[in-house]
Amino acid sequence: MPGGRLTQQERRHIAAGLAHGLSYAEIARRLDRPTSTVSREVARNGGARAYRPDRAHRATADRARRGAPTPSRTPGRRPGAAEDEIVEIAVRSGMPLMAARVHVDLVLSEDGRRTAAALARRLEVSPASVSVAVNFLLQQGYVRRERDPHRRRDVYVVDDDAWYHSIVVSVRQTLASAQAAIDVAEALGPDSPAARRLAKGGAFLERVVHDLKDSADHWRPLLS
């Protein structure tokens, strides 16, 4: 029941959802639970990479018996906790969970490069999950793909310019939305309240994203 304690079966559903790269919101929807319930459950039990449903269920029962508070995140925390926090921030900003995990793993790697096989092995997920995640990251400009000519395999790369390219992609997508709003406003005619609302919104978005692109171009040398 929404609002009650998570059952062991629900925790297993959470683990299965994480393994398939579902977002916290989607997992919560399938369980008929608030998204915050799922995100807190994962955060207090090892994060997305280390979450184990049976262990989480036992830990919750132990805390209930002791009446002890949930352990806080402190300096001496387990290895990987910082990575999990970054992943959770990315998920809250709208990035799919598996894409966030892949992106963070690439960003924190020594040379910013991994093959799909290496990503699947490190994250303990299926190649299909990695494929969906990297396709999202490629579309959004967060990573680029290179071909290894010697081993005939793709290598996914996060370089310094990835931050710039992700902004360019975002600008392009937002400009398309702004133009669509303006086009609809023109079709509706000047006497329509909806047209005036869309026209103002489209004009606002156009100016904001042009300013963002200009700023990205200005500061791009910092990435060199």
Side-chain angles (χ1 to χ4, degrees), residues 7-79:
T7 66
Q8 191 166 19
Q9 188 62 31
E10 285 178 314
R11 289 189 165 95
R12 288 172 180 166
H13 282 307
I14 290 174
L18 294 173
H20 284 88
L22 300 182
S23 67
Y24 292 157
E26 177 61 19
I27 294 171
R29 187 188 66 78
R30 296 185 180 192
L31 294 176
D32 194 21
R33 293 277 191 171
T35 302
S36 59
T37 297
V38 175
S39 62
R40 283 197 301 268
E41 166 69 13
V42 175
R44 71 164 63 99
N45 290 291
R49 294 193 307 168
Y51 184 78
R52 300 294 181 271
D54 295 338
R55 185 173 63 195
H57 196 71
R58 289 194 299 270
T60 300
D62 289 343
R63 285 195 294 268
R65 282 195 294 270
R66 295 195 305 267
T70 301
S72 59
R73 293 171 178 165
T74 58
R77 58 193 177 186
R78 63 172 181 79

Side-chain angles (χ1 to χ4, degrees), residues 30 47 50 79 102-103 130 145 172 184 212:
R30 296 185 180 192
V102 168
H103 189 230
V130 171
R145 179 169 26 213
R172 189 183 307 128
V184 173
L212 177 60

Side-chain angles (χ1 to χ4, degrees), residues 141-172:
Y142 291 111
V143 304
R144 60 183 173 83
R145 179 169 26 213
E146 290 183 357
R147 189 70 174 171
D148 184 341
H150 303 294
R151 306 185 68 175
R152 296 184 180 178
R153 62 182 182 179
D154 289 333
V155 180
Y156 300 101
V157 182
V158 170
D159 57 20
D160 292 337
D161 249 4
W163 307 106
Y164 174 81
H165 290 306
S166 67
I167 289 176
V168 170
V169 171
S170 177
V171 165
R172 189 183 307 128

Side-chain angles (χ1 to χ4, degrees), residues 61-197:
D62 289 343
R63 285 195 294 268
R65 282 195 294 270
R66 295 195 305 267
T70 301
S72 59
R73 293 171 178 165
T74 58
R77 58 193 177 186
R78 63 172 181 79
E83 290 91 326
D84 287 337
E85 288 183 19
I86 299 172
V87 167
E88 288 164 18
I89 291 169
V91 169
R92 287 198 296 271
S93 72
M95 183 179 286
L97 175 59
M98 187 53 63
R101 293 184 64 196
V102 168
H103 189 230
V104 170
D105 191 69
L106 279 166
V107 169
L108 296 180
S109 64
E110 194 68 26
D111 58 358
R113 305 166 61 87
R114 295 214 195 279
T115 63
L119 288 165
R121 183 174 62 253
R122 287 178 53 80
L123 300 177
E124 299 179 341
V125 297
S126 69
S129 295
V130 171
S131 177
V132 172
V134 295
N135 282 336
F136 173 87
L137 295 171
L138 287 165
Q139 291 169 4
Q140 300 302 314
Y142 291 111
V143 304
R144 60 183 173 83
R145 179 169 26 213
E146 290 183 357
R147 189 70 174 171
D148 184 341
H150 303 294
R151 306 185 68 175
R152 296 184 180 178
R153 62 182 182 179
D154 289 333
V155 180
Y156 300 101
V157 182
V158 170
D159 57 20
D160 292 337
D161 249 4
W163 307 106
Y164 174 81
H165 290 306
S166 67
I167 289 176
V168 170
V169 171
S170 177
V171 165
R172 189 183 307 128
Q173 293 171 339
T174 306
L175 278 175
S177 298
Q179 187 59 54
I182 293 171
D183 290 344
V184 173
E186 290 177 352
L188 292 175
D191 296 329
S192 167
R196 291 193 292 272
R197 189 161 54 246

